[in-house]
Amino acid sequence: MKIKRVKGFSGEVTVPGDKSISHRSIMLGSLAKGTTEVYGFLQGADCLSSIDCFRKMGVEIENNGSVVTIKGRGLRGLVAPKDTLDVGNSGTTTRLMSGILAAQNFTSKIIGDASIQKRPMKRIMTPLSMMGADIESELGNDCAPLIIKGQALKGINYDSPVASAQVKSAVLFAGLYAEGETSVTEPAVSRNHTELMFEEFGVDIKCEGKTSIVKPSDELFAKKVIVPGDISSAAYFIVAGLITPDSCITIKNVGINPTRDGIIRVCRAMGADIIVEESSNQVGEPTADITVKTSELKGCVIGGDIIPTLIDEIPAIAILACFAAGKTVIKDAQELKVKESNRIDVMVDNLKAMGADIEATEDGMIIRGGKELHGAIIDSKLDHRIAMSFAVAAMNARGETEIVGAECVDISYPKFYQDMNKLIKL
Ligand code: S3P
């Protein structure tokens, strides 16, 4: 895809549903008793992979494009899949579903695409094995394909070395089936959508500081789920509105759960003109309309406990930093190396190609803003967040930019380019 500089943006956009919440709605809906209706479900490839996997385990799931209806089979109602479970590009499906599969009375195999086959799975294999799971990496490289032979599990108190909602959630899902209580303590609090939805579905779960504690369940109860817009998708519009001259964008109905709102706090620290108007608070998942206007930005330091609350937004924030005066330091973000691509290297290499003053560090990057970007050929590495971030950069760069693999936005935001185009000033 080829992209050129734009004059400005104006108007309103509603971004698709939150990816994390959409995945969890399929998993909990499948395990619950009764019918779960999901509104605002993200119709992106990753979440469709979750639907596909649970259908293979006997769950009737109807998806008409606006409502997803799940006929739950109860906590112990899944059936052995006849085929491998293909998660595509989805790390969330792989890790959360592994926690469920570890406790079933059947054996299953998880496969996925080239990116999934490189992502670390030892981080879930370790705690799940401590619970008694039989989970094996087929190639012995601690990556998918994974073979999981269901076992009786016991609760553990797990001190996670990494702030990861996927690890935490895998253990909490397994904890639903375990004997005794299960807890996970993290070095910094990661997104809490699992905990919030567990509570909604009737699970005995509590959170104390950096620890989440779950008691085993006999039964989960179906619930209507309303998925807010994904702040990770809103991030591209927030950045576009702030860095493009003569712009004003309102993003409607964005989830602003405090475990996800780090980008808003960073924008404010950088001097952004950003207004957040809370619109509703559905089951602990608050939403807001966010309005951004072209702003004079200054660099800042981003690190510590805020990192898990903006981890997926760092590629977009790196673009923002290129348009801020002075230095922006992103640190404590080594997790970026094990996302859909190595997001430190891919951001640094591609931004350098556009003329940015940026360097990679062990745990993040340092950006000296203010240098004009120019068009370049950008390799997205088929990472959706890289493609969307560089689309925003390209619209603020001299000349033409070509994004290779641009269609990978299908993973989390199939209509991204159309929605962005609608806001461009003529
Ligand atoms: C997710 C958690 C995050 C995030 C991912 C979705 C989730 O990963 O990067 O896109 O839904 O739990 P980690 O938990 O591994 O940091």
Side-chain angles (χ1 to χ4, degrees), residues 19-20 23-24 92 95-96 123 163-167 169 190-191 311-312 335 339-340 343 385:
K19 183 154 81 69
S20 295
H23 281 299
R24 286 156 174 80
T92 310
R95 297 200 178 103
L96 272 58
R123 51 179 58 201
S164 160
Q166 295 186 356
V167 171
S169 302
S190 66
R191 64 193 65 193
I311 189 74
D312 290 345
E335 276 296 296
K339 294 296 178 188
E340 286 84 328
R343 288 183 178 158
R385 303 211 185 280

Side-chain angles (χ1 to χ4, degrees), residues 12-14 229 234 238 249-256 264 268 274-280 286-292:
E12 280 182 10
V13 61
T14 303
I238 293 175
I249 302 178
T250 297
I251 312 125
K252 308 284 283 183
N253 189 42
V254 182
I256 51 158
I264 297 172
R268 288 193 174 127
I274 180 166
I275 298 168
V276 179
E277 260 181 294
E278 193 153 329
S279 47
S280 80
T287 62
D289 296 341
I290 300 176
T291 300
V292 285

Side-chain angles (χ1 to χ4, degrees), residues 121-139:
M121 292 301 152
K122 197 171 173 93
R123 51 179 58 201
I124 55 156
M125 292 166 72
T126 299
L128 292 176
S129 300
M130 286 163 69
M131 297 177 81
D134 183 342
I135 175 166
E136 191 193 321
S137 156
E138 191 176 47
L139 303 175

Side-chain angles (χ1 to χ4, degrees), residues 7 54 76-77 86 94 100 129 139 174 180 191 220 239 331 347 353 403 405:
K7 281 196 199 127
F54 281 83
R76 287 168 182 81
D86 188 349
T94 312
I100 297 170
S129 300
L139 303 175
R191 64 193 65 193
L220 270 56
V239 172
K331 57 183 187 180
M347 285 309 297
I403 300 182

